[in-house]
Amino acid sequence: MNRLVSSTPAYSSLDIDYRFFRLYEHDFAEARETLKMMGRYRRHDVLFALLRDAVVAYARPFSVNKKPTKGRHELPLRFVPRVRRSLHRELIALRMTMFAHTDFIARSPRVTLWDNGEPPRPILSFSNPPYEAWLRRRSEVASLVAEMEGAVKDEIARIEETALWRPVAT
């Protein structure tokens, strides 16, 4: 009986970094293109979905990503310009509490009993993401995305120029 044997290539640390930076480059390009696409629409339901997609794509490099070997990889905060770190933290928090997770504290769910003469029924109300406010900040977010995309491309070029780096063909 023939069986496929799965093996992990022997990646160097630099090769893993290179591959992740190339993936991060795509994440930022996706965020950039999604933000750009928002200019073609007026309906808020469409704009809100595109905004959510752009924020999730932006945040992906900063989430804890699984390596092919043991451990995790994420884009270090040092790549975020100091003057943009406040905006960066806001976007990551938005992703973590409202867009990619159901955070109890951020959503602040409240139950009210609705009594219309029948047995009372529980009604749930909760906070939604501040979409309108973020739509007004779209150009600010787009500028940060462009800066991050540039920083990642610079790091890719630096790794490619490193004489010790040779990719593992997979």
Side-chain angles (χ1 to χ4, degrees), residues 10 14 21 23 40 49 55 57 59 72 75 114 116 137 149 155 160 167 170:
L14 194 56
F21 277 97
L23 291 170
R40 299 196 316 244
V55 170
R72 306 284 185 197
L75 187 61
W114 184 47
N116 64 348
R137 297 179 72 185
E149 189 174 12
E155 185 64 9
E160 288 175 344
T170 53

Side-chain angles (χ1 to χ4, degrees), residues 13 19 26-28 31 40 45 55 58-59 67 81 96 104 110-111 130 141 145 149 158 168:
S13 177
R19 291 167 191 258
H26 286 275
D27 292 331
F28 291 127
R40 299 196 316 244
D45 58 337
V55 170
Y58 170 82
K67 288 183 180 182
M96 296 301 288
F104 190 93
R110 294 168 301 283
V111 175
V141 173
V145 168
E149 189 174 12
R158 187 194 68 74
V168 173

Side-chain angles (χ1 to χ4, degrees), residues 21-40 49-61 95 138 141-142 144-146 148-150 152-153:
F21 277 97
R22 293 297 302 267
L23 291 170
Y24 299 159
E25 177 184 18
H26 286 275
D27 292 331
F28 291 127
E30 181 182 326
R32 174 180 36 81
E33 289 302 313
T34 303
L35 289 164
K36 183 177 164 184
M37 188 186 309
M38 290 173 69
R40 299 196 316 244
L50 291 171
L51 174 66
R52 186 174 50 245
D53 187 64
V55 170
V56 169
Y58 170 82
R60 203 175 290 132
R95 183 248 185 227
R138 187 174 88 203
V141 173
L144 172 59
V145 168
M148 294 308 305
E149 189 174 12
V152 166
K153 285 180 178 185

Side-chain angles (χ1 to χ4, degrees), residues 24-109:
Y24 299 159
E25 177 184 18
H26 286 275
D27 292 331
F28 291 127
E30 181 182 326
R32 174 180 36 81
E33 289 302 313
T34 303
L35 289 164
K36 183 177 164 184
M37 188 186 309
M38 290 173 69
R40 299 196 316 244
Y41 297 94
R42 298 287 172 253
R43 288 181 39 188
H44 280 191
D45 58 337
V46 175
L47 290 172
F48 295 166
L50 291 171
L51 174 66
R52 186 174 50 245
D53 187 64
V55 170
V56 169
Y58 170 82
R60 203 175 290 132
F62 301 99
S63 62
V64 182
N65 304 295
K66 187 176 178 183
K67 288 183 180 182
T69 56
K70 289 184 180 180
R72 306 284 185 197
H73 195 281
E74 63 185 294
L75 187 61
L77 186 61
R78 67 181 163 84
F79 284 91
V80 181
R82 288 190 189 280
V83 296
R84 300 272 193 197
R85 288 194 183 161
S86 177
L87 174 60
H88 167 78
R89 283 189 296 272
E90 289 178 70
L91 289 170
I92 298 300
L94 187 61
R95 183 248 185 227
M96 296 301 288
T97 61
M98 295 267 187
F99 288 171
H101 301 281
T102 302
D103 187 87
F104 190 93
I105 293 170
R107 288 295 183 143
S108 186

